[in-house]
């Protein structure tokens, strides 16, 4: 567990040192590069660590034992299928997949955090849930959200086309990412009708290509079975709190144009997730879709101290309060989470002996 606290503690320490800036500095420095490389190795080099690690291990096996066509039929998303085909060329292909997800997430987070006025505060907020739970638990959605982070930055620059490409790329790894494509139409301010029409057409084509044949299965697995997730309401409240603050004080956040429209819409969705968890028959559906709202916490909390405080002392108090909140969140998850045992102790691939997925018995489920 120590390695998790080292990452979180270092990020907190750097967040305490930083001062909010009015003009964002995108320049990458040595500390960020080193931290991001370490984070990529931490996420990507894990072994038998993370909530769904075993499922991804099982999903990769057919690519070793079957023809590509037959194996691809057992897979779900185009991008992840292609990644699995490449990974199966290596004896420890699961590490290839986790390393790919680690590099994508660490790189996207570095770029996204550096675009915020308080980058290390943004990283600290991201670490407990976006990095550890999502990035190390749900590989496909973790990759999808990483591409969405890049898309949200493009949206802030009013680049709807690039935003749509980033989200569509994420949907190649988890098709549910398509739910965020309409945000491009909501945030558009120029040629609004044309943009809405293009976004609607893109959504329909992408939905039919990536989800259409699996729609019935998804409905059966999540909706018809009334699947529920413990902690869904707490996670919804975590997203709703900064969202509500932003909706109440949004003029003080200094956002304009597409950025203001986009984060207002995302904040409204984050607030709406709370009653949705209570009302909707399957809290798992709301919980999984709410993963795409995790950037709301990172983006808004990185701005709260400078948006709401009136003095340097108040800014420090806000920053410390946010840091303490996420330290408590991670402590609670690590010690009381229902599925926390899947993450602890952390195991690293290079410290394991005689690991060879291809050499294993296909019936072996010893992980």
């Amino acid at each position: 567990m120590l390695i998790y606290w080292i990452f979180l503690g270092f990020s907190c320490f750097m967040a305490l040192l930083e001062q909010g800036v009015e003009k964002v500095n995108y320049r990458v420095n040595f500390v960020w590069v080193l931290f991001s490389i370490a984070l990529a190795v931490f996420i990507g080099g894990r072994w038998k660590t993370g909530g769904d690690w075993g499922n991804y291990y099982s999903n990769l096996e057919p690519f070793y034992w079957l023809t590509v066509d037959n194996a691809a039929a057992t897979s779900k998303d185009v991008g992840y299928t292609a990644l699995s085909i490449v990974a199966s060329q290596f004896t420890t292909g699961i590490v290839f997949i986790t390393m790919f997800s680690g590099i994508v997430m660490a790189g996207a987070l570095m770029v996204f955090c550096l675009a915020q006025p308080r980058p290390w505060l943004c990283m600290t907020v991201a670490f407990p849930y976006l990095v550890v739970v999502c990035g190390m638990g749900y590989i496909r959605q973790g990759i999808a959200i990483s591409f969405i982070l890049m898309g949200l930055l493009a949206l802030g620059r009013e680049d709807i086309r690039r935003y749509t490409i980033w989200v569509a790329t994420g949907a190649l790894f988890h098709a549910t990412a398509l739910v965020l494509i309409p945000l491009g139409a909501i945030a558009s301010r120029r040629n609004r009708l044309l943009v809405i029409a293009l976004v609607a057409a893109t959504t329909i084509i992408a939905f039919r290509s990536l989800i259409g044949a699996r729609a019935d299965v998804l409905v059966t697995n999540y909706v018809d079975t009334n699947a529920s997730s413990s902690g869904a309401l707490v996670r919804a409240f975590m997203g709703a709190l900064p969202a509500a603050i932003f909706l109440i004080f949004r003029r003080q956040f200094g956002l304009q144009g597409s950025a203001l429209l986009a984060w207002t819409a995302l904040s409204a969705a984050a607030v709406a997730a709370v009653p949705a968890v209570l009302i909707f028959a399957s809290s798992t559906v709301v919980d999984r879709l709410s993963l795409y709202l995790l950037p709301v916490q990172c983006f808004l909390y990185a701005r709260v101290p400078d948006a709401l405080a009136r003095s340097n002392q108040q800014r420090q108090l806000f920053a410390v309060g946010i840091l303490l909140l996420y330290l408590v969140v991670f402590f609670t998850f690590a010690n009381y989470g229902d599925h926390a045992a899947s993450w602890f102790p952390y195991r690293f691939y290079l410290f394991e002996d005689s690991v060879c997925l291809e050499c294993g018995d296909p019936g072996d489920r010893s992980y």
Side-chain angles (χ1 to χ4, degrees):
M1 188 183 295
L2 178 62
I3 186 68
Y4 294 91
W5 285 108
I6 289 175
F7 273 97
L8 186 56
F10 180 80
S11 183
C12 278
F13 175 75
M14 295 301 291
L16 287 173
L17 296 180
E18 70 185 354
Q19 302 293 322
V21 294
E22 292 184 6
K23 187 174 182 180
V24 172
N25 179 10
Y26 294 94
R27 193 171 180 179
V28 180
N29 58 39
F30 174 76
V31 176
W32 269 103
V33 171
L34 199 61
F35 183 87
S36 299
I37 291 174
L39 187 63
V41 173
F42 171 70
I43 297 171
R46 72 188 189 278
W47 184 257
K48 298 184 180 180
T49 301
D52 284 349
W53 196 95
N55 292 334
Y56 287 104
Y57 183 98
S58 300
N59 291 340
L60 182 61
E61 284 185 327
F63 289 88
Y64 284 106
W65 312 113
L66 304 176
T67 63
V68 171
D69 289 344
N70 290 332
T74 68
S75 191
K76 297 175 181 177
D77 298 296
V78 176
Y80 191 75
T81 299
L83 182 62
S84 298
I85 292 172
V86 176
S88 67
Q89 306 307 308
F90 301 91
T91 54
T92 52
I94 186 65
V95 179
F96 181 89
I97 291 176
T98 55
M99 190 57 74
F100 176 84
S101 72
I103 292 171
V104 170
M105 174 159 278
L109 264 177
M110 181 182 71
V111 175
F112 185 82
C113 289
L114 286 173
Q116 314 309 322
R118 290 178 181 260
W120 287 107
L121 184 56
C122 181
M123 176 60 77
T124 303
V125 170
F127 187 81
Y129 197 49
L130 180 54
V131 173
V132 175
V133 177
C134 183
M136 298 173 65
Y138 318 127
I139 293 177
R140 290 186 300 126
Q141 271 190 293
I143 296 172
I145 293 173
S146 300
F147 286 115
I148 287 171
L149 289 176
M150 302 303 296
L152 291 172
L153 293 180
L155 201 57
R157 298 190 296 270
E158 314 225 354
D159 191 338
I160 308 299
R161 180 181 63 85
R162 190 162 294 183
Y163 166 78
T164 305
I165 291 173
W166 280 119
V167 175
T169 303
L172 294 177
F173 293 88
H174 204 288
T176 56
L178 290 173
V179 297
L180 280 189
I181 282 190
L183 183 65
I186 295 172
S188 173
R189 295 192 306 150
R190 292 174 292 187
N191 302 318
R192 197 173 177 83
L193 289 178
L194 177 60
V195 170
I196 290 174
L198 290 174
V199 168
T202 303
T203 304
I204 293 171
I205 294 171
F207 181 87
R208 290 177 63 87
S209 303
L210 301 177
I211 293 184
R214 294 190 286 128
D216 291 341
V217 176
L218 292 173
V219 171
T220 300
N221 289 345
Y222 290 108
V223 180
D224 292 347
T225 59
N226 293 337
S228 62
S229 297
S230 61
L233 186 60
V234 174
R235 289 189 286 275
F237 270 116
M238 284 180 58
L241 177 59
I245 292 173
F246 175 70
L247 292 175
I248 295 171
F249 302 101
R250 67 176 190 159
R251 290 185 179 179
Q252 297 174 218
F253 280 74
L255 299 180
Q256 297 178 339
S258 294
L260 178 61
L261 294 171
W263 291 106
T264 299
L266 289 172
S267 297
V271 171
V274 174
V277 169
L278 298 172
I279 295 171
F280 204 60
S282 172
S283 63
T284 298
V285 172
V286 180
D287 196 38
R288 287 302 179 98
L289 291 178
S290 294
L291 290 176
Y292 297 115
L293 300 175
L294 286 175
V296 169
Q297 298 178 47
C298 307
F299 182 88
L300 295 181
Y301 275 137
R303 284 169 168 74
V304 161
D306 303 297
L308 302 185
R310 293 289 176 267
S311 65
N312 287 334
Q313 289 81 359
Q314 288 183 6
R315 291 186 186 90
Q316 282 300 99
L317 282 176
F318 273 112
V320 169
I322 294 168
L323 294 174
L324 288 176
L325 173 62
Y326 280 85
L327 287 172
V328 170
V329 166
F330 185 70
F331 177 85
T332 304
F333 164 73
N335 291 280
Y336 305 107
D338 289 344
H339 305 289
S342 298
W343 277 264
F344 309 105
Y346 177 83
R347 295 174 62 179
F348 188 61
Y349 164 65
L350 292 180
F351 297 158
E352 301 292 323
D353 294 328
S354 303
V355 175
C356 177
L357 181 62
E358 190 180 32
C359 303
D361 176 358
D364 179 19
R365 296 291 184 274
S366 59
Y367 49 79

mmCIF file of all heavy atoms in Angstrom, residues 16 67 155 201 265:
data_model
loop_
_atom_site.group_PDB
_atom_site.id
_atom_site.type_symbol
_atom_site.label_atom_id
_atom_site.label_comp_id
_atom_site.label_asym_id
_atom_site.label_seq_id
_atom_site.Cartn_x
_atom_site.Cartn_y
_atom_site.Cartn_z
ATOM 1 N N LEU A 16 0.730 21.713 -2.263
ATOM 2 C CA LEU A 16 0.858 22.704 -1.194
ATOM 3 C C LEU A 16 1.826 23.816 -1.571
ATOM 4 O O LEU A 16 1.709 24.951 -1.098
ATOM 5 C CB LEU A 16 1.330 22.016 0.090
ATOM 6 C CG LEU A 16 0.298 21.151 0.814
ATOM 7 C CD1 LEU A 16 0.954 20.397 1.959
ATOM 8 C CD2 LEU A 16 -0.865 22.000 1.328
ATOM 9 N N THR A 67 -8.006 -18.601 -33.697
ATOM 10 C CA THR A 67 -7.638 -17.740 -34.816
ATOM 11 C C THR A 67 -8.081 -16.320 -34.499
ATOM 12 O O THR A 67 -8.930 -16.098 -33.625
ATOM 13 C CB THR A 67 -8.324 -18.195 -36.104
ATOM 14 O OG1 THR A 67 -9.743 -18.060 -35.931
ATOM 15 C CG2 THR A 67 -7.978 -19.649 -36.429
ATOM 16 N N LEU A 155 -12.120 21.121 -26.607
ATOM 17 C CA LEU A 155 -13.407 21.818 -26.514
ATOM 18 C C LEU A 155 -13.229 23.204 -25.894
ATOM 19 O O LEU A 155 -13.887 24.172 -26.294
ATOM 20 C CB LEU A 155 -14.371 20.986 -25.661
ATOM 21 C CG LEU A 155 -15.869 21.257 -25.837
ATOM 22 C CD1 LEU A 155 -16.274 21.058 -27.282
ATOM 23 C CD2 LEU A 155 -16.675 20.340 -24.922
ATOM 24 N N ALA A 201 -25.268 13.205 -36.575
ATOM 25 C CA ALA A 201 -24.956 12.179 -37.582
ATOM 26 C C ALA A 201 -23.793 11.309 -37.114
ATOM 27 O O ALA A 201 -23.833 10.074 -37.241
ATOM 28 C CB ALA A 201 -24.627 12.849 -38.915
ATOM 29 N N ALA A 265 -22.693 22.172 -18.559
ATOM 30 C CA ALA A 265 -23.465 20.970 -18.898
ATOM 31 C C ALA A 265 -22.955 19.759 -18.118
ATOM 32 O O ALA A 265 -23.757 18.970 -17.579
ATOM 33 C CB ALA A 265 -23.379 20.706 -20.402
#
